[in-house]
Amino acid sequence: MSKDSYIHKVLPGSLGGPLLFVFHGTGGDEDQLLSLGRDLAPQATIVGPRGDASEQGAARFFRRTGEGVYDMGDLTRATDKMAGFVKAHVEAAKPSLVLGLGYSNGANILASVLFAEPSLFDATVLMHPLIPFEPEVKGSLDGSRILVTAGRRDPICPPDLTARLEAYLRADGADVTVEWHDGGHEVRPSEIEAARQLFAVTSDERTASHV
């Protein structure tokens, strides 16, 4: 468990405030979602790791053998490594909240960490995730706030698999919201606003519980 197990960048926030982890899509890097993270959670310290798997030079968080066909052994490796990375940063920062935001491949690794460590995040945003397998949740997602965003014409993440993921999460007790748009794999303003609202509500509730 190491804070430096991934190449990463940190944008400092308020001392003792939220800690937001942002996970890029295929071909992105540790910078891809930092500014979005700052926009969504202005007080948070933001951590952006770079995926350690390469697909013809494009950074990813785990390997795949084809579109939507995952190397499940490598996904297990990556999930364990990322969970340790997140825990190390949480232990060092002792934040008021732990938040997660991932897009595409980043949403997939975030979801996999969530299945393995259900109590690690207070709220997560999964933008255009593709989970083509039945997840095994090691514990309960009861009380977890999760936003899934998706495009009804997404050629990479078919809507039926998004609906199936929603059903899995709800069955395990998560508080799930799905934000749909009529486009494809791109992120639209409605998704960003839904993410902003999720983080704001989670932060407000945590503040109220400590008054």
Side-chain angles (χ1 to χ4, degrees):
M1 191 167 75
S2 170
K3 289 174 60 183
D4 297 316
S5 54
Y6 285 89
I7 295 170
H8 66 283
K9 282 193 176 177
V10 178
L11 287 185
S14 300
L15 186 65
L19 189 58
L20 170 59
F21 293 87
V22 293
F23 304 96
H24 64 77
T26 297
D29 60 21
E30 62 273 26
D31 292 305
Q32 186 181 46
L33 298 177
L34 288 178
S35 61
L36 176 59
R38 174 59 74 228
D39 177 44
L40 296 178
Q43 303 303 315
T45 293
I46 303 163
V47 182
R50 183 196 302 176
D52 61 353
S54 176
E55 184 176 271
Q56 297 178 338
R60 285 176 53 84
F61 290 101
F62 58 89
R63 293 192 295 268
R64 62 182 173 180
T65 58
E67 191 68 62
V69 184
Y70 298 163
D71 180 331
M72 297 303 289
D74 195 55
L75 177 57
T76 297
R77 171 205 65 82
T79 300
D80 291 344
K81 181 178 177 181
M82 185 60 75
F85 174 81
V86 171
K87 287 177 182 178
H89 280 269
V90 170
E91 187 175 300
K94 295 178 171 52
S96 58
L97 287 170
V98 182
L99 308 172
L101 168 73
Y103 166 67
S104 194
N105 181 242
N108 298 337
I109 190 63
L110 176 54
S112 191
V113 171
L114 192 62
F115 302 147
E117 301 279 353
S119 63
L120 196 49
F121 293 94
D122 294 291
T124 51
V125 176
L126 307 174
M127 291 182 160
H128 301 260
L130 174 60
I131 305 298
F133 57 90
E134 183 170 348
E136 178 186 348
V137 180
K138 297 178 181 176
S140 172
L141 289 169
D142 189 35
S144 296
R145 290 181 176 274
I146 302 172
L147 169 67
V148 179
T149 72
R152 291 190 174 89
R153 296 178 176 84
D154 192 330
I156 296 173
C157 303
D160 61 319
L161 292 187
T162 300
R164 189 176 72 171
L165 174 61
E166 177 189 7
Y168 287 147
L169 295 171
R170 288 193 191 282
D172 208 72
D175 178 358
V176 185
T177 301
V178 182
E179 178 69 29
W180 290 95
H181 65 63
D182 288 329
H185 202 58
E186 75 280 0
V187 174
R188 292 195 173 182
S190 59
E191 298 174 66
I192 294 171
E193 185 55 35
R196 182 180 289 110
Q197 290 178 14
L198 176 72
F199 289 161
V201 167
T202 304
S203 181
D204 289 348
E205 286 194 354
R206 177 58 58 89
T207 299
S209 71
H210 284 78
V211 172

